[in-house]
Amino acid sequence: MGIVKTEAIILDSAEYSETSKLVRVFSPARGKLSVLAKGARRKGSRVGAGLEPFTHVNLTLYLKEAADLGTLKECEVIESFAYLREDLIKLALASLYIEAIRITLAPGARNYSLFKLTLAYLHALRKCRDSTGMTVHFLLKLLKDLGFQPALKGCVRCGATERIRYFHLRRGGVVCAACAGETAELVALNPGEYRVLKKSVETPVKSVVRIRLSRKQSKALLELLIRMLEYHLETRLRSVRFLDQMMLEIP
Ligand SMILES: [Zn+2]
């Protein structure tokens, strides 16, 4: 066994035994790792507190060469993102983002850009007023990082840039009114929503936070992005139900 030090974001945490936890983490250098934290459920455990989902930590692990299950030795909290426990809407949105990463990330798949993006999102979400709009921007960047950047320049069938009315899930891009046809894979997209999407994908992360969305646009685009993610990941995202419940409370 070797000792490995890695920065990480906690993706989820489960009880493993009376006294231990099993957590899954995102390490920029090692992708998705499972980590057994012995004694983490004991009262006053030094490591236990740092193992809540979303926490940004420095971990010291015992890890076998090429293994994706490690045993925790030390955990130092860099940032706990405690605001998520006080704002249920932000918690629901961040849960959606983290769930998508947990599903797509493979063990051993290093990804520094996605790690940086995820930290930028968790920091940006804290201070923003329009948390839904912010999540729309970051989910678009996430889709790009995962290789599913939506094609938005023009209709994916005929190339037209006018009368764009739908997003086609299977074709991964927008289609115009003339090419739409009838399929369950179309999601309606109004001109305002289309403009916001185009602007958001063209804008770098550090400036994207300044793009303003109306509440209606935020909600419609979030729904579209959830459908895109579920289509690409070929699964239903469990956090969507929690998010739907929270969203009902926003006027
Ligand atoms: Zn067309």
Side-chain angles (χ1 to χ4, degrees):
M1 267 198 182
I3 288 187
V4 167
K5 285 178 188 273
T6 180
E7 206 182 331
I9 295 167
I10 310 292
L11 298 173
D12 65 4
S13 166
E15 294 176 5
Y16 183 76
S17 70
E18 200 99 319
T19 55
S20 305
K21 277 185 183 177
L22 185 66
V23 294
R24 281 184 288 188
V25 308
F26 174 13
S27 153
R30 292 170 182 272
K32 186 162 63 183
L33 279 176
S34 295
V35 177
L36 181 61
K38 291 178 183 162
R41 297 188 59 215
R42 282 206 191 96
K43 255 200 172 142
S45 158
R46 272 197 315 129
V47 291
L51 300 176
E52 292 298 312
F54 313 105
T55 309
H56 180 202
V57 288
N58 271 323
L59 300 177
T60 307
L61 311 167
Y62 288 113
L63 193 67
K64 274 186 189 157
E65 197 58 44
D68 59 2
L69 173 65
T71 308
L72 187 67
K73 193 165 175 289
E74 278 172 41
C75 170
E76 177 207 350
V77 175
I78 300 170
E79 172 63 61
S80 67
F81 299 111
Y83 72 91
L84 291 171
R85 281 123 209 150
E86 287 149 25
D87 185 326
L88 287 179
I89 289 177
K90 289 185 178 179
L91 176 65
L93 290 163
S95 300
L96 174 76
Y97 182 100
I98 290 290
E99 186 183 3
I101 289 184
R102 201 187 65 227
I103 293 170
T104 40
L105 202 65
R110 73 174 65 175
N111 193 333
Y112 290 90
S113 64
L114 184 58
F115 192 80
K116 223 175 123 191
L117 182 73
T118 304
L119 284 181
Y121 171 58
L122 292 172
H123 281 288
L125 192 60
R126 176 190 351 235
K127 32 187 205 249
C128 73
R129 289 210 188 132
D130 176 13
S131 47
T132 310
M134 180 68 65
T135 303
V136 164
H137 294 317
F138 276 88
L139 285 177
L140 271 169
K141 304 289 179 207
L142 173 65
L143 278 165
K144 183 185 176 190
D145 198 287
L146 299 176
F148 304 129
Q149 162 118 302
L152 302 172
K153 284 212 169 87
C155 172
V156 288
R157 295 197 69 184
C158 74
T161 53
E162 301 289 312
R163 298 184 68 221
I164 298 297
R165 293 290 181 274
Y166 299 94
F167 189 88
H168 196 298
L169 292 170
R170 183 168 45 81
R171 290 176 179 271
V174 291
V175 285
C176 72
C179 293
E182 270 189 46
T183 154
E185 290 168 334
L186 292 177
V187 184
L189 194 65
N190 71 35
E193 291 157 10
Y194 176 44
R195 263 197 308 278
V196 169
L197 274 188
K198 267 203 299 191
K199 200 168 173 203
S200 181
V201 296
E202 288 160 4
T203 307
V205 170
K206 64 180 189 342
S207 314
V208 82
V209 297
R210 290 197 287 272
I211 301 175
R212 293 269 171 260
L213 283 76
S214 72
R215 183 143 287 175
K216 221 174 136 216
Q217 283 173 338
S218 295
K219 277 184 143 182
L221 290 176
L222 183 66
E223 271 172 38
L224 170 63
L225 285 165
I226 289 170
R227 290 196 63 187
M228 279 189 215
L229 276 168
E230 291 187 332
Y231 188 86
H232 289 304
L233 305 182
E234 295 175 353
T235 184
R236 302 304 300 269
L237 293 163
R238 278 188 299 166
S239 47
V240 171
R241 246 184 96 197
F242 173 38
L243 184 61
D244 283 344
Q245 286 168 359
M246 293 302 116
M247 286 292 179
L248 287 177
E249 292 171 22
I250 308 181

